[in-house]
Amino acid sequence: GRASEKKVGGAGGWQDGAPVRKRKRPENKVAEDGGRAGFFNADLDKTDLKKLVEQERLGTSNDYNQNWARHVMKQGAKFQDMDTDEQFDMADVSMQAYESAANKKRKGKDRDEVLRKQAVNAHNRMQKILNNCWQCIDSPKFLKHLVISFGVRCYLALPSRHRVTAGHCQIVPRDHIIATTQADEDVQEEIMYFRKFLVKMFAARKQGVVFTETVLSLRKQRHTVIDCVPIPLEIFDEAPIYFSKAISESDEQWSVNKKLVDTRKKGLWRSIPKNFPFFSVEFGNGGGFAHVIEDESTYRAEWGKEILCGMLGEPAQIVLRARRPPLHIEQQRVENFKNAWKRYDWTRRLKGGDLHKKINKNKKEQDQQATQ
């Protein structure tokens, strides 16, 4: 019979007992120069903008109808038992579920894309900061010739600018840390090692050491440094009074935080909360003061050095604005500092230092004598 025929082709036909409609192939339009001008369905060319909009609207309606049909199928026999009002209520629920699922899917994709872009931008911004950092060892701008000695997590170096006195040096974390309050305990311990032996070295010269740290503009992610400035002992004894008065008179009148924080009992890291800009000053190994900066516009990065210049009777505008000296002058300053520091340089005992082999050799000799 006709139902058993399996005719395919032509304008139509039968296959497996069902009618088959031949689909229209899109026409390949050819331009005058022989190239392809377009590849569109012939019916689409005859459709104006109004009809396209109507098709898009109907397509959305079809999506809703399909969702409605799926919802009815899930209800099964329950749908048949519903009255007309209940069926209309279910239609509203189906519409809301359809729109909610579509919006949720779209928002999820948008959120993932936003998070991805934010992560990429943050990485690029941080990479730019590291490449332009003067203190990062891997940065192309790092001034290695100013380094005095390398520790495991910090290093000691001379400043390239804003030198207050002869012997002025800086303790710098090797990692890009924006404040010592955010540093690990290992970094803090190594900073204290450098401070301890610097105090000993300058004490032999009858000088005291003032340690300052200024943390501003946390969003700019600047590499923090601890400035170590030696001053004569007679002035060093009066330094706490100078700084106490200067800090108390600084910043806005109505401050939320306590203006003068004593760091002698808890130390700096337990006295100032993380992620806060601050200024700290400590005198030798005896602690000092800290201040949370609430209005950064009232503070300058060299504010602590300006106070030290005033204590020493030096014009801060001239001292701190001096140009960077030539390379041979910097190299001579580094050599002079290394000669004075050599006796106190604890990093020489680390692996790779000149005292490391000697210490191991003496230890082996003592072990051999003990076994004899």
Side-chain angles (χ1 to χ4, degrees), residues 12 52 85 106 118 124 149 163 214 259 300 324:
L52 289 174
D85 292 336
R106 184 179 68 253
Q118 288 178 349
N124 294 337
S149 60
R163 180 173 177 258
T214 305
K259 285 192 174 183
R300 295 176 296 278
R324 184 179 166 186

Side-chain angles (χ1 to χ4, degrees), residues 27-40:
E27 297 179 1
N28 189 3
K29 295 188 176 182
V30 181
E32 295 179 358
D33 59 355
R36 191 172 71 181
F39 193 65
F40 305 103

Side-chain angles (χ1 to χ4, degrees), residues 122-141:
H123 172 77
N124 294 337
R125 184 170 61 251
M126 193 64 199
Q127 197 60 42
K128 183 179 179 180
I129 292 173
L130 295 177
N131 291 335
N132 292 326
C133 180
W134 295 82
Q135 281 77 35
C136 284
I137 297 174
D138 296 329
S139 171
K141 294 186 177 182

Side-chain angles (χ1 to χ4, degrees), residues 1-64:
R2 187 176 180 182
S4 61
E5 295 180 3
K6 296 184 179 180
K7 182 180 176 182
V8 179
W14 291 79
Q15 183 175 0
D16 296 333
V20 177
R21 178 179 294 179
K22 184 177 179 181
R23 299 179 62 184
K24 293 183 179 180
R25 295 178 60 83
E27 297 179 1
N28 189 3
K29 295 188 176 182
V30 181
E32 295 179 358
D33 59 355
R36 191 172 71 181
F39 193 65
F40 305 103
N41 192 304
D43 294 337
L44 187 61
D45 292 341
K46 300 176 183 178
T47 307
D48 56 13
L49 180 60
K50 184 177 180 180
K51 290 183 179 180
L52 289 174
V53 173
E54 182 68 16
Q55 290 177 7
E56 178 64 22
R57 185 184 66 79
L58 292 176
T60 305
S61 177
N62 291 334
D63 290 342
Y64 168 68

Side-chain angles (χ1 to χ4, degrees), residues 73-142:
M73 291 176 64
K74 286 182 180 180
Q75 294 293 329
K78 294 181 180 179
F79 181 76
Q80 298 178 357
D81 298 335
M82 295 180 180
D83 57 24
T84 305
D85 292 336
E86 291 176 339
Q87 290 178 355
F88 275 111
D89 292 340
M90 193 180 74
D92 293 337
V93 172
S94 177
M95 187 63 181
Q96 293 174 2
Y98 171 75
E99 293 179 346
S100 177
N103 292 336
K104 186 176 181 181
K105 185 177 181 180
R106 184 179 68 253
K107 289 180 180 179
K109 290 182 178 179
D110 294 344
R111 184 178 66 253
D112 293 342
E113 182 64 18
V114 169
L115 292 176
R116 187 190 67 81
K117 289 183 179 180
Q118 288 178 349
V120 171
N121 293 336
H123 172 77
N124 294 337
R125 184 170 61 251
M126 193 64 199
Q127 197 60 42
K128 183 179 179 180
I129 292 173
L130 295 177
N131 291 335
N132 292 326
C133 180
W134 295 82
Q135 281 77 35
C136 284
I137 297 174
D138 296 329
S139 171
K141 294 186 177 182
F142 178 61

Side-chain angles (χ1 to χ4, degrees), residues 311-322:
M311 293 169 55
L312 296 169
E314 300 288 344
Q317 293 182 348
I318 297 176
V319 173
L320 301 180
R321 293 184 182 180

